[in-house]
Each structure stands twice: as C-alpha cells, then as structure tokens.
Amino acid sequence: MNVKRLILIFGVSVFGFGCSSATKKPPLEHWNIFDSKPFAQPQSIKEGRTQVVFIRDKEGLSGPAANIFIEGHYFTSLLPGAYKAVQLCSHPTRINAAYTNSELNYMNARKQNSLQTLTEGTTQYYRLMNGSGQNVQIQALTESQAQAFLPNLKEEVNTVSRVKEVQECAKPVYVQVPVKTMLKKYTLEASTLFSFAKSGPNDITAKGRKEIAAIAAEIARDQEAISHIAVIGYTDPVGSENSNQQLSQRRAETVRMLLVQDGVVKKNILVEGRGEQELIVSDCEQKYAKDKAAREQCDLPNRRVEIITYGMKAE
C-alpha cells in the first residue's frame, strides 16, 4: 500500500467518526455543588444595604434549577435544598426567578416587573415557590418562617454571580430633609371585591369596581405628592399556604390593573401577595371550630387587599 492511499483511508475514517459523533446529543448537565457551612448572619450589614436570602427547600418548588435575576442581572441557580445570600442596595429592587430551560426567553425573564422593597440594615428572606404553569414565584418570609428552613439548607456555590455586590449605593439628596412616609392606606374586603375564591378582572363585583375607581381618582389628584404605591393581597389561614399566597398575589395584580385603567401611573405601583401572613384576627379556628359560618365571618377582616400610598415629607 503506497503512502497516498494510506493517507486517503485515514482521512475518510476520521471524517466518518466526526459525522457519527456530531449526530449524538450532548450529555445533560449534572451538578450538585454546595458549601458545607450552615447559614449564619453576617457580623455587619454594610451601610445603605439589605441582606437578602433566597431559599429553595425541597417542598416549595419542584422542577429543575431555578435562576434568580436581580435588576436583570444573573445572580445564582438554586437546586432543592439550597440557599444563597447577598447584600443589596436598600431601595425598591426588581427580583425575579425562572427555571433553567434551553427554550426560555431569558431577555424577557430578566425584565419581569417584580419589585421588592428592601429595608436598610435588615435581613429579608424570600422562598422560591411553584407558580402557575412554568412560573417561579418569590414569596417573602418572616425571620421565624425562614429559620424553619435554613438549618436544613446548604449554600449553593456552583455558579458565578453577575450582580455587583460591592457597588456604591446611591444616596438620595433633597433640598429639605425628607422622610419616606405612608400617606394613606385603603383596605378593601376581598369578599366585596371578588366573587368567592376568585381573583381575575372578570370576577370583580360592581361594588368593588366602584371602590377601586374612587380610590384611583383620589390617588390621581395627589399623584405629585406620591412617590410610589403598594398593593398587597392577604387571605385567611384556611387552605394551603402556597395556594393562599398565589391567590393573594393574583388579587393584588388585578387591583393594580384596575387602578391603572382608572388613571394611576403603573410604574409607581408595587404588587405583593402575602397570603395568610399578618392576620388581623388569628383565633377564628379556636373560637368557632364547629361553626363554619361563624368562622368565615370571623375571618372576614383577614381576606383583604390593601392599597398604600407613600410620599416624601420634610421633617
């Protein structure tokens, strides 16, 4: 066999191997990288910042890794049984999450309007929860609620964050010395706003629409004095915590939509569902364990949507 023929045979063999390899799908990515240290509060929280802790326990969210975005920047990917903490500038911050998915439009996922108000010098906890369809919900937790999960979680350390944790936080400068203050709080009974167990715009009662329209007109008159508006949904403790949180979120979003339709500027409205947190009446079950009608009447103040206006006033 001459040299030229040998080279030709070798080249064809390599080409055939390359074609065969190219038709195989790459292996799925498998990673499971955690730090062994348990969660611990930092010795200090930097001036102008809030420590934010993201929690993914094994019951709250099913599915693949969940990517967390902060102001559109990738922060981390959480697997079940993981947490991740970061110190962020203390101002309303856009935080959202989405499953790892090759078909996901990450540009849209990063732009989701999910503002969280961060309080300077505090630690705030957020739990990843199953949402509707493929959505991942971010649920605020109290410290006591978070501590029920954190001892069983490990820190996720598998990826590199794109969030600038050490950046300087801008400080507002005013002509006078103003403070952010609550201007007014409107409380709407959910039973007046919505049909039973409903949450969409088509489920709003005629009385509920009138109440929202009147509030929107009042807010529109005072728009220049208002820095932002919070719309917060609440439920009673009946049912699962997850379903109550989702119901309260959907109701708050519906109320925001109607406020915008009635002339309130959308970008100034923050929406949050708190489910069965912050109950106004907490002993209805104990008082009326055998009287469902009385128990539902007792729980009525807990089923509500609050509209809170905030502004800056000089002291």
Side-chain angles (χ1 to χ4, degrees):
M1 182 183 296
N2 60 35
V3 175
K4 288 184 179 180
R5 186 177 180 187
L6 178 63
I7 292 174
L8 177 61
I9 293 173
F10 176 75
V12 170
S13 299
V14 170
F15 176 79
F17 174 78
C19 292
S20 175
S21 300
T23 60
K24 295 181 181 179
K25 293 183 179 179
L28 295 174
E29 182 184 32
H30 295 283
W31 42 262
N32 190 11
I33 307 174
F34 301 99
D35 195 305
S36 60
K37 297 177 183 177
F39 172 78
Q41 291 285 0
Q43 293 183 352
S44 64
I45 298 176
K46 298 176 183 178
E47 182 181 359
R49 289 174 173 80
T50 304
Q51 178 177 237
V52 178
V53 183
F54 297 99
I55 290 171
R56 182 175 180 183
D57 58 286
K58 295 183 179 180
E59 287 77 34
L61 180 66
S62 57
N67 300 324
I68 296 174
F69 300 97
I70 299 173
E71 291 295 348
H73 300 290
Y74 173 81
F75 172 53
T76 190
S77 297
L78 286 188
L79 291 168
Y83 80 88
K84 193 70 173 177
V86 64
Q87 290 194 23
L88 302 174
C89 295
S90 302
H91 52 61
T93 302
R94 184 159 45 90
I95 300 173
N96 51 287
Y99 287 118
T100 298
N101 187 336
S102 61
E103 298 178 358
L104 178 67
N105 186 327
Y106 281 96
M107 291 300 293
N108 290 340
R110 293 172 181 172
K111 294 176 183 177
Q112 294 298 314
N113 185 21
S114 179
L115 284 176
Q116 303 294 339
T117 300
L118 306 182
T119 304
E120 182 177 353
T122 65
T123 298
Q124 295 179 212
Y125 303 90
Y126 295 95
R127 182 188 183 196
L128 300 189
M129 299 285 290
N130 287 319
S132 57
Q134 291 296 308
N135 294 328
V136 177
Q137 297 287 336
I138 297 178
Q139 177 188 5
L141 298 180
T142 63
E143 182 170 0
S144 61
Q145 289 172 328
Q147 291 303 330
F149 297 107
L150 284 168
N152 302 316
L153 305 181
K154 296 181 180 180
E155 183 182 12
E156 193 84 65
V157 293
N158 55 288
T159 58
V160 178
S161 171
R162 300 295 187 268
V163 176
K164 295 181 180 179
E165 186 174 2
V166 296
Q167 67 181 353
E168 289 297 322
C169 296
K171 296 181 179 180
V173 178
Y174 303 95
V175 176
Q176 294 179 319
V177 181
V179 292
K180 183 172 69 174
T181 183
M182 184 175 74
L183 301 179
K184 191 167 183 177
K185 179 165 74 173
Y186 308 86
T187 301
L188 302 171
E189 291 185 0
S191 59
T192 301
L193 283 177
F194 296 94
S195 302
F196 180 73
K198 300 294 184 179
S199 59
N202 295 329
D203 305 315
I204 290 278
T205 64
K207 183 178 179 182
R209 286 183 179 273
K210 276 187 176 181
E211 289 185 4
I212 294 173
I215 293 170
E218 188 172 324
I219 290 174
R221 286 195 299 268
D222 300 330
Q223 193 82 50
E224 291 186 3
I226 296 172
S227 60
H228 68 280
I229 303 159
V231 179
I232 307 171
Y234 297 92
T235 67
D236 61 30
V238 179
S240 72
E241 181 181 342
N242 185 27
S243 62
N244 283 338
Q245 194 280 328
Q246 291 185 46
L247 176 62
S248 65
Q249 178 78 23
R250 292 195 301 270
R251 285 179 168 176
E253 289 172 352
T254 296
V255 170
R256 175 176 63 175
M257 185 192 74
L258 293 178
L259 286 173
V260 172
Q261 287 180 359
D262 290 327
V264 180
V265 179
K266 181 178 180 179
K267 68 178 181 180
N268 293 338
I269 307 177
L270 315 180
V271 172
E272 184 178 353
R274 294 185 182 173
E276 57 195 70
Q277 300 180 54
E278 302 176 30
L279 296 175
I280 295 176
V281 185
S282 59
D283 58 353
C284 298
E285 177 66 30
Q286 291 80 358
K287 282 184 176 180
Y288 306 105
K290 298 182 180 180
D291 190 339
K292 182 179 179 182
R295 187 168 63 249
E296 288 182 351
Q297 188 65 28
C298 176
D299 264 326
L300 193 60
N302 296 323
R303 301 190 292 270
R304 67 199 190 275
V305 176
E306 293 179 348
I307 301 171
I308 307 172
T309 59
Y310 295 88
M312 307 303 297
K313 287 188 176 180
E315 285 191 328

